Amino acid sequence: MAKARERLQWLIEREDGRPNRYCERWQQLLDEGPEAVMRVLCDVGEEDQVLRTASPWVGIISAEERDQIVAEFQAWWRQRESAR
């Protein structure tokens, strides 16, 4: 999460210090915590897909690492939901 925050700050600075709406949304998600971030990384909704194209995770994790993280999160989420 710390690396994503650093990358997000770099993206904002690259835009003359003015965050675009995608950077603002990623900032909100990072502030909300890992569950919020993982929902965006795993969901197939239109907003989630767009956010992934402007992701601060680019260059931090490989596609294989992302796939592994998503699979682990989905398994955790299913287990959590079935326990309810």
Side-chain angles (χ1 to χ4, degrees):
M1 298 280 282
K3 286 187 178 188
R5 286 182 189 280
E6 290 173 15
R7 174 75 172 176
L8 184 60
Q9 187 59 43
W10 177 83
L11 290 170
I12 292 169
E13 289 170 5
R14 193 178 78 174
E15 298 293 323
D16 297 324
R18 291 173 284 143
N20 62 39
R21 67 184 181 133
Y22 302 118
C23 289
E24 288 175 347
R25 182 66 181 125
W26 274 111
Q27 186 66 55
Q28 291 172 339
L29 291 165
L30 289 168
D31 290 345
E32 289 175 27
E35 275 190 44
V37 170
M38 292 309 301
R39 277 194 301 273
V40 169
L41 293 179
C42 296
D43 284 349
V44 294
E46 185 177 335
E47 178 188 21
D48 303 311
Q49 291 175 4
V50 171
L51 280 171
R52 285 193 296 270
T53 66
S55 171
W57 299 99
V58 173
I60 295 175
I61 60 173
S62 68
E64 293 81 17
E65 289 171 315
R66 179 198 171 276
D67 291 345
Q68 181 180 354
I69 291 167
V70 168
E72 289 174 12
F73 179 77
Q74 288 173 333
W76 172 83
W77 188 265
R78 282 191 297 273
Q79 182 180 5
R80 179 181 162 209
E81 291 301 304
S82 67
R84 287 184 173 195

